Amino acid sequence: MNPQLTERLICPRCGPRFGLVLRADQVEEGSVVDGFLGCSNCRVLYPVARGVADLRHPPRSRTHRRARAVPPPTADASAPETLRLAALIGVARGPALIAVAGNLAGRASGLASLLPDVEVVALAPRFDFRPPGGASWLMASQRLPLRDGSLAGIALAGSWAEPLLDDAARCLAPAGRIVLLGASADGEQAFRSRDLKVLASKEGVLVGRLD
């Protein structure tokens, strides 16, 4: 996890008004491998282990059993799916922060390689692998642990990610994009009900912009 990301994180229990403090116990090549994130309000500690910050609500073991694992990661920046995802998110250069959530989380390292000036965050309820470098990996419950207006773009896919549309809009900066892939009928309806300008809608792919 990039330690500078701490400035963009919030306590998932206390909400957007409360940030987190990082204690880094092990750092490798500028990334936090082991440590803790703590909230000064509720005093809950969120562990960072093997480079993954676990920002799920306690009890985390119960959440882990219920959650479906995301597909294995790929760091291939030239993969057609990675190139397509980058084009849909629409952030070509940084400094900027983007996020990929749910079934798209495995594309985070590929996007980070493709967009070296852009910080990439992967979000999912569970990772069953040691993530590759290049991106920050966060396990989350049904709230994005990111500050309001902190994202230049976010892409979501999967049954866990669709309910995060409201939170995704909260985290978007002005002119930021939300991408929803493989949208269900309910997901498409929820997407269109948000205060977004729809830029694209085709075969389960929806792209909206916060104006």
Side-chain angles (χ1 to χ4, degrees):
M1 188 194 87
N2 185 344
Q4 295 181 351
L5 181 63
T6 309
E7 299 175 3
R8 308 284 188 93
L9 296 178
I10 63 170
C11 176
R13 184 175 182 179
C14 299
R17 293 174 49 225
F18 299 95
L20 297 173
V21 177
L22 172 67
R23 190 188 83 184
D25 294 332
Q26 181 181 355
V27 178
E28 295 180 2
E29 298 180 354
S31 293
V32 180
V33 177
D34 287 293
F36 289 93
L37 290 157
C39 176
S40 60
N41 184 58
C42 67
R43 307 292 181 178
V44 169
L45 294 178
Y46 299 96
V48 181
R50 299 195 304 166
V52 178
D54 191 344
L55 293 168
R56 298 173 298 179
H57 297 296
R60 299 180 184 95
S61 59
R62 185 182 305 167
T63 305
H64 187 280
R65 287 196 302 269
R66 290 200 309 264
R68 180 177 296 178
V70 303
T74 175
D76 185 0
S78 63
E81 294 85 355
T82 303
L83 296 172
R84 176 173 177 258
L85 185 57
L88 290 171
I89 295 172
V91 178
R93 60 174 62 96
L97 178 68
I98 63 174
V100 283
N103 294 347
L104 299 174
R107 295 283 165 193
S109 289
L111 285 170
S113 297
L114 182 66
L115 307 168
D117 296 330
V118 176
E119 185 174 355
V120 183
V121 176
L123 292 150
R126 169 179 148 198
F127 296 115
D128 283 343
F129 48 78
R130 179 159 185 162
S136 294
W137 300 76
L138 310 179
M139 290 192 289
S141 300
Q142 286 300 320
R143 172 179 282 178
L144 295 177
L146 296 165
R147 290 194 180 277
D148 295 6
S150 60
L151 292 175
I154 182 170
L156 311 102
S159 59
W160 173 81
E162 278 194 1
L164 296 174
L165 283 168
D166 276 337
D167 229 19
R170 173 186 65 78
C171 295
L172 273 189
R177 289 187 184 185
I178 295 180
V179 179
L180 182 61
L181 298 184
S184 67
D186 289 342
E188 182 169 352
Q189 182 178 0
F191 187 96
R192 293 185 181 280
S193 69
R194 301 302 181 272
D195 189 18
L196 299 167
K197 180 179 181 180
V198 178
L199 303 178
S201 175
K202 184 178 180 181
E203 298 176 352
V205 178
L206 294 161
V207 181
R209 185 179 68 205
L210 183 65
D211 287 333

